[in-house]
Amino acid sequence: MSLPQRSGRPAGTGIRHFARAAAALAAALALLAPLNAAGVASAAAPEAPADAGVRVNAQASLGRMPDTARGVNTAIWDSHMNDPEVADLMKAADVGAMRYPGGSYADIYHWETHTAPGGYVAPGTDFDSFMGTVRATGAQPILIANYGSGTPEEAAGWVRYANVTKDYDAKYWEIGNEIYGNGHYGNGWEHDEHEDKSPREYARQVRAYAEAMKAVDPTIRIGAVLTTPGHWPDGVVGEGDPGDWNHTVLSEVTDVIDFVSVHWYAGGSDTTAEAAMTKLTGLPGELREVRNQIDRYAGARSPHIGIALTEINTNTGGAMLTARPNGLFTADAYLTALENGVFTVDWWNTHNGAGRITTVDGETDYGDMGMLSSGACTGDVCEPAPNTPFHPYYGMKMTSELGTAGDTLVAAASSAQDVSAHAVHRRDGRLSVLLINKDPDAARTVDLEYTGFTPAAAAPEVSRYARGDSDVTDVTDGGASASRVTVPPYGMLTVTLTPRAGTGPGASDAEAPGAPRPEAVTDTTAHLSWEGAAGAARYLVQERDGAHTHVVGETTGTSVTLRNLPPGSTHTVNVLAADASGRLSAPSAPLTFTTGTPPDAPCAVSYHRDTSWGNGFVATVTVRNLSDTPITGWTVDWDWPSDRQSVSSGWNATFHQTGRHVRVTAPEGAGPLAPDGGSTASFGFVGANDGPNPQPTVFRLNGTVCSGG
């Protein structure tokens, strides 16, 4: 698990920026209203402005919801793992993945003997019993092959038993759990008996495991363990290693793996759920950096390598784990991760055990990282009966009200920090919106507006989980409309709308096109292609910025070249098909790409991270003038990819940072940069990062874009 992270409290006000102007306008209209006989304005009072506005763009696809979307971890030390109630509860929440045999226990567990030397194995938790629960749930297993004390041959034997002998069709197999915690970087909680504990040895073993296991069943999918960018030991380079864990492992295994496994915990033992919800804002950037790293080493094969978030929770022990705010976090976290490209999100844990007892929101919090009660006690305070759901279970269940496998996640943006919004365009044409009010004291009125979707006049279906609810509750007759709803304090609402007849993708003769593929990307252009769609007369390529989209290309074919793109810029696009009448299909899955730098630029820059320690680093930048004239008095500019990166101090130059932008000026008395690369200028700095630390994509010398980076 990750080292403790610091988090602040949410700072959202929950008030829309136009509330003051709307109130002034309402007052002016009241003065103009006609008076009745009593001298009282007879016009009805205007509706008060909403606390938040949410924009949903049904044309901005964030990808399809996979059948493994909602997952949970299970552990062989859990005596309630296979209680019949577990399968019933998980099926009711549409759980599609169950991970076994349980975190770090995987690296001491021997499946054939059902033993874990040095650990406790509860009765009735063997592999076949676990698979009985998986099948009763309707889920798929995610299995962790023993890397720490096992062998490729032992793992291959497990594949043979599971998929040949028993015909379980177990697809997903991780090689070990959190192996970077084996002591190689000084902190060791993960069992690893290999003499060489380096990332390079892990990569060699992943290849051996993949070869042995796929020789038994070539259809299985192999997963390698990565660190989450921005979480220890990301960026740390061990003695004798060519790079940090992720870069070393990925440089050697992308041709044999099918997914990577990362874990995400918001912080340490004192992290509150409120702080964890704020920390979630960093998760999209962290997952984007995982994809960037896969892109770098896998190239054209990158789209075939998935990302699995196989452990997630607010913290690794302590307060506010079973309380209501952690239920809000659960719903927000599952959907945030799914919207940013993972194919499964697996909660830690199904049952876990009581910890520190506190009172949160008027209820006892048991300090338990499980979704369901294990019936355990801390002192004289005991949890409710085993398998009683905690709030995180209902948070996960609430996401199943939003959509199921095959539905399309679409962009939704909220104007208020204390109101989260997520949306799904369902296969039957309906649109569902989940609203999460993180304010414990006040309800929030929310105005809803839509792009690419026209709601019918009928009242929406509404589900709620809030104070006073013992389960996700149908409140369709509660007065919500397609344009405005009220979300209770510390509550969640899912609003499901039917499209107006004759509107939406269901009214188009065109099917959804395939996801765009980058055929060639330069510094200023991107040539994209996609699989054509039946019934399509033409295609629109659109770029997304949050919940807004704009058309950047149009064609009757199945490829387009986007031009005049800024060097080093990142773009997210998808494709819609229009039928002969101009009616638009559902959007394709999205593609994100980044342009490069010109190969024939009149300057070149190299950026090298010399060392890193998770939240800080030292880098050296070297500049060459490739033009035919000398340059005197140079400046170098770049923009950080994240607003959580900065320059702390530097040498051999003067540094100034505004927002993400950094300007570096030649020191006084510096000589000219000779033409044709005849001399170089180098400077270094100490940087800080709170989260992932991606490299800048483009550098400019005296305003001119340089090659390299």
Side-chain angles (χ1 to χ4, degrees):
M1 296 179 181
S2 302
L3 290 183
Q5 304 286 319
R6 292 183 177 179
S7 292
R9 294 180 63 84
T13 64
I15 305 299
R16 294 196 72 178
H17 61 84
F18 56 77
R20 184 176 299 171
L25 177 60
L29 291 174
L31 291 174
L32 296 174
L35 302 181
N36 62 18
V40 179
S42 59
E47 189 176 36
D51 301 307
V54 166
R55 175 188 293 271
V56 179
N57 191 336
Q59 294 178 343
S61 168
L62 306 180
R64 305 284 189 268
M65 186 172 284
D67 57 2
T68 51
R70 281 169 286 271
V72 294
N73 277 269
T74 61
I76 55 174
W77 41 260
D78 173 15
S79 61
H80 296 288
M81 175 202 287
N82 298 307
D83 289 354
E85 299 94 327
V86 172
D88 292 340
L89 287 163
M90 296 306 164
K91 188 173 184 177
D94 194 33
V95 165
M98 305 183 82
R99 185 172 179 251
Y100 177 94
S104 296
Y105 259 60
D107 286 307
I108 60 173
Y109 178 64
H110 300 284
W111 71 271
E112 193 166 16
T113 58
H114 189 51
T115 57
Y120 169 72
V121 177
T125 60
D126 60 274
F127 177 55
D128 287 316
S129 298
F130 163 74
M131 284 304 303
T133 300
V134 170
R135 288 188 157 183
T137 300
Q140 297 184 52
I142 296 179
L143 303 174
I144 318 170
N146 183 343
Y147 176 86
S149 59
T151 64
E153 293 72 27
E154 181 183 29
W158 196 0
V159 174
R160 182 176 294 105
Y161 179 78
N163 291 353
V164 178
T165 304
K166 303 294 288 190
D167 196 26
Y168 286 145
D169 191 27
K171 296 178 181 177
Y172 299 101
W173 298 78
E174 296 178 61
I175 310 303
N177 173 82
E178 296 183 0
I179 300 300
Y180 47 80
N182 61 7
H184 182 67
Y185 300 106
N187 193 345
W189 65 86
E190 199 73 19
H191 186 80
D192 184 0
E193 296 179 359
H194 295 88
E195 183 176 351
D196 183 351
K197 294 178 171 53
S198 69
R200 178 166 282 177
E201 175 62 17
Y202 175 70
R204 283 194 290 263
Q205 291 291 336
V206 166
R207 299 188 68 87
Y209 273 72
E211 181 180 3
M213 295 164 74
K214 287 195 173 186
V216 176
D217 183 353
T219 69
I220 65 171
R221 299 170 189 175
I222 297 293
V225 172
L226 296 186
T227 65
T228 303
H231 295 244
W232 188 93
D234 174 49
V236 179
V237 178
E239 184 177 355
D241 294 341
D244 66 6
W245 181 275
N246 285 9
H247 290 86
T248 302
V249 171
L250 286 173
S251 68
E252 299 187 21
V253 303
T254 54
D255 59 323
V256 298
I257 63 171
D258 305 283
F259 67 98
V260 299
S261 171
V262 294
H263 294 170
W264 197 89
Y265 292 88
S269 60
D270 294 326
T271 297
T272 64
E274 288 97 333
M277 285 188 278
T278 299
K279 198 76 172 178
L280 265 179
T281 60
L283 181 59
E286 293 165 8
L287 292 172
R288 181 63 213 158
E289 181 59 14
V290 174
R291 176 53 61 189
N292 287 341
Q293 293 173 1
I294 297 171
D295 288 345
R296 174 178 176 180
Y297 294 105
R301 194 171 182 273
S302 179
H304 302 289
I305 298 177
I307 301 173
L309 190 54
T310 53
E311 288 185 23
I312 189 169
N313 207 313
T314 48
N315 54 61
T316 54
M320 298 185 79
L321 286 158
T322 66
R324 183 174 301 279
N326 208 26
L328 306 182
F329 168 86
T330 306
D332 214 4
Y334 268 86
L335 291 165
T336 298
L338 292 168
E339 290 163 350
N340 286 277
V342 308
F343 68 86
T344 187
V345 186
D346 306 328
W347 188 260
W348 183 272
N349 202 2
T350 302
H351 307 92
N352 207 72
R356 182 158 61 98
I357 306 298
T358 58
T359 299
V360 179
D361 195 39
E363 299 178 314
T364 300
D365 183 279
Y366 297 97
D368 190 319
M369 300 179 75
M371 281 198 162
L372 308 178
S373 171
S374 62
C377 303
T378 296
D380 58 357
V381 178
C382 294
E383 294 182 346
N387 298 313
T388 300
F390 293 132
H391 288 294
Y393 169 80
Y394 292 114
M396 178 179 67
K397 187 177 182 181
M398 196 67 175
T399 70
S400 68
E401 296 287 308
L402 190 68
T404 57
D407 293 340
T408 300
L409 295 148
V410 296
S414 171
S415 67
Q417 287 183 305
D418 58 5
V419 176
S420 291
H422 306 276
V424 166
H425 202 178
R426 299 185 180 231
R427 289 166 293 169
D428 61 10
R430 294 180 300 158
L431 181 72
S432 294
V433 184
L434 173 62
L435 303 169
I436 304 170
N437 179 7
K438 294 174 276 190
D439 190 312
D441 301 316
R444 288 286 181 255
T445 56
V446 180
D447 279 345
L448 298 168
E449 56 181 305
Y450 312 95
T451 299
F453 182 84
T454 305
E461 299 175 18
V462 182
S463 298
R464 182 189 67 204
Y465 186 68
R467 292 185 182 121
D469 294 329
S470 59
D471 201 339
V472 176
T473 304
D474 181 5
V475 289
T476 296
D477 297 328
S481 71
S483 59
R484 176 170 287 197
V485 297
T486 300
V487 190
Y490 260 5
M492 297 182 276
L493 285 185
T494 298
V495 181
T496 298
L497 303 132
T498 301
R500 182 184 297 172
T503 67
S508 176
D509 292 331
E511 297 180 359
R517 301 182 299 268
E519 302 292 347
V521 179
T522 70
D523 56 321
T524 59
T525 66
H527 183 68
L528 312 177
S529 66
W530 55 88
E531 294 294 328
R538 59 191 174 93
Y539 298 93
L540 303 178
V541 180
Q542 60 176 12
E543 182 168 3
R544 177 173 64 85
D545 180 10
H548 295 270
T549 53
H550 61 279
V551 175
V552 293
E554 185 173 346
T555 180
T556 57
T558 56
S559 65
V560 70
T561 299
L562 307 182
R563 304 183 186 281
N564 300 318
L565 305 175
S569 57
T570 298
H571 307 266
T572 298
V573 298
N574 57 26
V575 184
L576 298 114
D579 66 12
S581 299
R583 296 169 299 193
L584 296 176
S585 71
S588 73
L591 165 72
T592 298
F593 66 89
T594 301
T595 57
T597 56
D600 55 353
C603 54
V605 171
S606 66
Y607 175 95
H608 183 263
R609 192 178 304 147
D610 304 322
T611 186
S612 178
W613 51 92
N615 61 354
F617 61 101
V618 175
T620 299
V621 179
T622 302
V623 184
R624 288 187 298 153
N625 169 24
L626 302 180
S627 71
D628 56 6
T629 58
I631 295 177
T632 302
W634 51 263
T635 61
V636 174
D637 293 83
W638 73 81
D639 291 293
W640 292 116
S642 165
D643 57 10
R644 299 180 180 183
Q645 295 170 282
S646 61
V647 173
S648 301
S649 61
W651 50 92
N652 294 341
T654 301
F655 297 80
H656 180 73
Q657 180 167 339
T658 303
R660 293 187 181 186
H661 185 75
V662 178
R663 168 159 288 189
V664 183
T665 306
E668 186 176 351
L673 280 170
D676 302 320
S679 64
T680 62
S682 292
F683 54 86
F685 63 91
V686 177
N689 60 289
D690 178 15
N693 189 24
Q695 179 173 307
T697 55
V698 65
F699 292 83
R700 287 176 169 83
L701 175 63
N702 289 358
T704 299
V705 175
C706 300
S707 61

